């Protein structure tokens, strides 16, 4: 079945860039998503990328997709303390439900 | 903009009791998904509905059932609750089957 993997923890200093990585196994994935979850809160869709794209930029967020290596990354520029959260990578192909990674806990040190 | 509404936000039940969770999708969204997120876990897909019909089924226990009503809201019915059912239950909706999923705030179920 499909599998999505992420590193569990990332710690950065305020003002630095954060890069959260994700790998997936389903070569038929058509959509790849990044969700943010703050403590005790719901899942906030941050951004997504279609599988035929290499890069997508949205303000401080940059998503890079290496389809050959099935590697997805989320770069957060000028990381702020408010960015501290768990970031989930998720993929789906066509109409299938989302498959999530385990989430990366980002800690921002002031 | 209107978001996905879930009720209740918190629910405490005893073992072997039943629970009903409700989800109101974003207006004009016809597809609803249910996910379960255990403590420290990633969300796991349970079941989805498109145009009031079940469209996909994931790791939903037989003790659970769900349906989507004519106004597109959905209810997740959980019976014979077990301690392991304690989790955050998310509902998501999309404007069409396969579209972007927007999540509700979740219902935190605690089974004692």
């Amino acid at each position: 079945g499909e599998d999505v993997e992420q590193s569990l923890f990332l710690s950065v200093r305020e003002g630095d860039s954060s890069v959260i990585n994700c790998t997936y196994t389903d070569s038929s994935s058509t959509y790849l998503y990044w969700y943010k979850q703050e403590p005790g809160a719901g899942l906030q869709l941050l951004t997504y990328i279609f599988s035929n794209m290499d890069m997508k930029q949205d303000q401080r967020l940059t998503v890079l997709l290496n389809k050959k290596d099935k590697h997805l990354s989320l770069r957060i520029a000028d990381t702020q303390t408010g960015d501290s959260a768990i970031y989930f990578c998720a993929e789906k192909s066509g109409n299938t439900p989302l498959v999530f990674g385990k989430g990366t806990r980002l800690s921002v040190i002031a | 903009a209107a978001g996905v509404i879930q009720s209740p936000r918190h629910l405490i039940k005893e073992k072997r009791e039943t629970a009903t969770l409700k989800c109101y999708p974003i207006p004009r969204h016809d597809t609803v998904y249910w996910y379960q997120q255990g403590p420290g876990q990633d969300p796991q897909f349970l079941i989805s509905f498109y145009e009031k019909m079940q469209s996909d089924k994931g790791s939903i226990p037989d003790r659970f059932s769900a349906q989507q009503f004519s106004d597109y809201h959905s209810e997740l019915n959980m019976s014979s609750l077990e301690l392991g059912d304690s989790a955050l239950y998310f509902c998501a909706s999309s404007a069409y089957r396969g579209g972007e999923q927007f999540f509700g705030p979740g219902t935190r179920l605690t089974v004692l």
Side-chain angles (χ1 to χ4, degrees):
Chain A
E2 305 92 341
D3 194 23
V4 179
E5 295 197 359
Q6 305 176 236
S7 52
L8 295 182
F9 301 98
L10 177 65
S11 183
V12 299
R13 294 202 174 274
E14 192 174 20
D16 287 351
S17 292
S18 308
V19 179
I20 303 171
N21 294 301
C22 168
T23 57
Y24 59 98
T25 57
D26 187 358
S27 56
S28 65
S29 295
T30 51
Y31 300 90
L32 295 136
Y33 299 84
W34 285 104
Y35 283 87
K36 176 183 180 183
Q37 186 175 35
E38 297 184 61
L43 292 160
Q44 176 193 354
L45 176 63
L46 283 180
T47 187
Y48 63 93
I49 190 168
F50 295 113
S51 60
N52 61 357
M53 297 168 63
D54 297 324
M55 187 185 88
K56 181 177 181 182
Q57 188 153 2
D58 184 1
Q59 299 181 338
R60 292 192 297 125
L61 305 178
T62 303
V63 179
L64 294 177
L65 175 61
N66 181 329
K67 195 173 179 184
K68 174 175 167 287
D69 294 338
K70 300 191 188 68
H71 180 267
L72 181 74
S73 68
L74 173 69
R75 178 176 180 269
I76 305 173
D78 187 25
T79 312
Q80 302 298 306
T81 53
D83 295 324
S84 293
I86 300 176
Y87 290 80
F88 288 97
C89 170
E91 64 87 20
K92 71 182 188 73
S93 54
N95 297 333
T96 61
L98 288 168
V99 176
F100 287 86
K102 298 294 183 194
T104 299
R105 184 179 295 275
L106 173 65
S107 297
V108 181
I109 305 163
Chain B
V4 176
I5 297 171
Q6 290 188 246
S7 68
R9 293 293 310 277
H10 302 273
L11 191 57
I12 299 175
K13 290 284 184 179
E14 303 266 343
K15 275 171 51 176
R16 292 180 288 278
E17 286 192 319
T18 61
T20 297
L21 278 53
K22 296 186 179 183
C23 169
Y24 297 86
I26 292 171
R28 290 181 293 283
H29 280 198
D30 58 13
T31 308
V32 168
Y33 308 80
W34 286 97
Y35 292 84
Q36 178 193 56
Q37 186 181 28
Q41 301 295 313
D42 54 301
Q44 294 290 319
F45 171 70
L46 292 178
I47 195 167
S48 64
F49 293 87
Y50 167 65
E51 279 293 343
K52 294 156 275 184
M53 300 283 289
Q54 181 183 308
S55 58
D56 289 290
K57 193 171 182 182
S59 51
I60 184 169
D62 292 340
R63 299 177 289 108
F64 295 5
S65 65
Q67 57 181 325
Q68 186 179 32
F69 295 85
S70 57
D71 64 352
Y72 295 101
H73 94 273
S74 178
E75 294 183 5
L76 178 66
N77 299 294
M78 311 158 74
S79 62
S80 303
L81 286 169
E82 301 173 356
L83 296 178
D85 296 329
S86 294
L88 256 176
Y89 289 83
F90 288 109
C91 169
S93 74
S94 62
Y96 54 93
R97 192 169 176 229
E100 293 169 45
Q101 294 180 30
F102 295 88
F103 282 76
T107 294
R108 183 173 294 280
L109 172 67
T110 303
V111 182
L112 302 175

